[in-house]
Amino acid sequence: MNTNTKLDLEEYLNYIFTWEHESDEHINSIISELNYLLDISKYHFEPDDAIEQKFNELTLLLFEVEKTVVRQTIIQYLANESAIARLLGFGLGMANLLHGEMEYTLSAWSISEEMEIFIKKLETIDFKIAEDMGETVKNYMVTYKRNNQTIAEKGSLRINTSECRVYLLQFMFEVYSKKGELDVATFRKWAHSARLVYDSKEVKDIKDALNNVSKSKDPESAMQSLSKFIASNDDQTSTSLVVGLAFLTMSYDHKIETNQIKSVAVENGIPSEYLNTNAFATRETVEKLIDNLIVTRKIVDQVLTMCEIRRVVDQISAWDNALLGGIHFQNNYKQYFHNLNHASTSFNVAMNLPYPPPTGVV
């Protein structure tokens, strides 16, 4: 399974405009997730101790399970739906990344009776870890997981659910960095702007030019296409969306340095409002959150592998290795929560906000 997230300008605009007529409840919930994220950096937390403690508890439980297992027992039956549902609660949004793959999952997974107590503990581990870090982190995790299904359902065969979440994050950060706030009405207005340009010739030209950047590592042609688009497009909000994702694609997908992007942009007449420090800093925030989706995918792939193991003792050994051994889920979890804190801090610094905005449903 692919852990890479590739950005596509047309798919981004196409996905975003599907949110124009989404329910107020779902849009508010997405905005709440952003607000909780921004609020995280207001409070000092150290995730390592909480993660180590909870994974030690899992390891002790696994040891007790192992003592009840007959060494040669073979798992002969498929996991029932409730056991699968419990397991999908693990992995920092694992269910989100498996959306659309459940037919494969149901046919491949096996969970022994002895493991069901352990799986039940796994179901709550994400929330228990987040809870130990404080109310804000816990609320973020609850809201993040609640939004997973909505985000996934609005995807398509062409866009995987990781990319859907990246596009939504980039969209909200772009709006927030320009407006200094985000509510349902503003969200809908900007989503409508994506509809205005998503299938235009200019956007297709920019997309083609961005594809060329991946080969040449030279953003010159992309900047020329962007400059023409800016000059010809009267809608400033849609222009911000296009330029924002184009710059993110150059920096994240194509690894072009920020100074090079800025230099070539200035040479091609890109207005200064698109080149300020805030704009680039918010994109760095999104990149950190993209890294978290990759971390989550690594966990998912390993869980899938373990659930295809047919001998109980081998499956327990694989989980033991994942918890404390060479695979080390703990390190993935630590990276995830440190990335959250870093993303929250960097965005608030970029926006020059003395304090993050209020948390909760807006």
Side-chain angles (χ1 to χ4, degrees), residues 48-277:
D48 294 10
D49 288 346
I51 291 169
E52 289 172 8
Q53 178 186 347
K54 292 298 183 290
F55 274 86
N56 285 340
E57 291 174 7
L58 282 173
T59 303
L60 291 173
L61 179 59
L62 192 64
F63 178 73
E64 293 300 316
V65 170
E66 188 173 13
K67 291 194 296 187
T68 70
V69 171
V70 177
R71 180 162 290 274
Q72 298 303 320
T73 300
I74 305 296
I75 306 174
Q76 299 286 358
Y77 59 91
L78 297 177
N80 60 43
E81 290 186 16
S82 66
I84 287 177
R86 289 195 187 105
L87 187 54
L88 290 176
F90 174 68
L92 300 166
M94 180 171 154
N96 176 42
L97 294 180
L98 284 175
H99 185 82
E101 301 175 29
M102 288 309 297
E103 184 176 347
Y104 162 79
T105 302
L106 286 168
S107 67
W109 282 13
S110 293
I111 301 173
S112 68
E113 292 176 351
E114 294 90 345
M115 286 288 286
E116 290 214 19
I117 297 174
F118 175 75
I119 297 300
K120 188 173 182 179
K121 182 80 170 179
L122 278 180
E123 181 183 14
T124 62
I125 197 73
D126 292 353
F127 296 117
K128 295 295 185 183
I129 290 172
E131 191 172 44
D132 281 358
M133 296 180 208
E135 191 73 13
T136 301
V137 180
K138 184 193 76 172
N139 288 338
Y140 170 81
M141 183 60 65
V142 170
T143 310
Y144 170 86
K145 289 198 169 188
R146 184 178 66 216
N147 289 336
N148 279 341
Q149 184 175 358
T150 303
I151 291 172
E153 288 176 350
K154 294 184 72 61
S156 70
L157 294 176
R158 294 188 307 164
I159 312 176
N160 67 47
T161 50
S162 293
E163 289 160 353
C164 290
R165 184 171 274 282
V166 170
Y167 290 153
L168 198 55
L169 286 167
Q170 167 62 18
F171 170 74
M172 291 194 293
F173 280 122
E174 191 70 39
V175 178
Y176 207 107
S177 66
K178 296 293 188 300
K179 303 296 291 183
E181 62 180 359
L182 184 58
D183 55 26
V184 172
T186 306
F187 189 106
R188 290 191 194 283
K189 176 184 175 182
W190 281 65
H192 174 74
S193 292
R195 182 187 295 275
L196 299 178
V197 296
Y198 86 98
D199 62 348
S200 68
K201 180 182 181 303
E202 291 80 6
V203 165
K204 295 181 188 300
D205 289 342
I206 295 169
K207 176 182 173 178
D208 290 341
L210 288 170
N211 289 337
N212 290 333
V213 173
S214 66
K215 303 171 186 176
S216 66
K217 301 302 178 185
D218 182 357
E220 179 71 32
S221 62
M223 289 302 177
Q224 291 173 356
S225 297
L226 279 174
S227 182
K228 292 177 183 176
F229 173 73
I230 292 170
S232 65
N233 187 37
D234 294 330
D235 183 67
Q236 192 171 13
T237 55
S238 60
T239 300
S240 294
L241 294 179
V242 170
V243 174
L245 193 84
F247 284 176
L248 179 63
T249 302
M250 290 181 216
S251 61
Y252 185 80
D253 273 0
H254 306 323
K255 310 306 179 188
I256 308 296
E257 294 293 332
T258 296
N259 287 340
Q260 184 182 359
I261 295 174
K262 288 183 177 181
S263 176
V264 177
V266 169
E267 291 172 4
N268 284 275
I270 303 296
S272 59
E273 65 192 89
Y274 301 110
L275 305 176
N276 61 48
T277 302

Side-chain angles (χ1 to χ4, degrees), residues 298-352:
K298 289 177 181 177
I299 296 173
V300 169
D301 288 346
Q302 187 56 41
V303 170
L304 285 173
T305 299
M306 290 188 292
C307 288
E308 291 172 1
I309 297 172
R310 313 308 283 185
R311 292 179 68 235
V312 179
V313 67
D314 292 338
Q315 190 176 88
I316 290 175
S317 177
W319 275 103
D320 186 59
N321 187 44
L323 294 175
L324 290 176
I327 300 164
H328 229 318
F329 280 166
Q330 285 194 47
N331 286 342
N332 290 326
Y333 268 70
K334 289 175 183 178
Q335 182 181 348
Y336 180 92
F337 283 103
H338 281 296
N339 281 348
L340 280 185
N341 198 29
H342 180 90
S344 178
T345 300
S346 63
F347 186 77
N348 280 294
V349 169
M351 291 295 294
N352 296 314

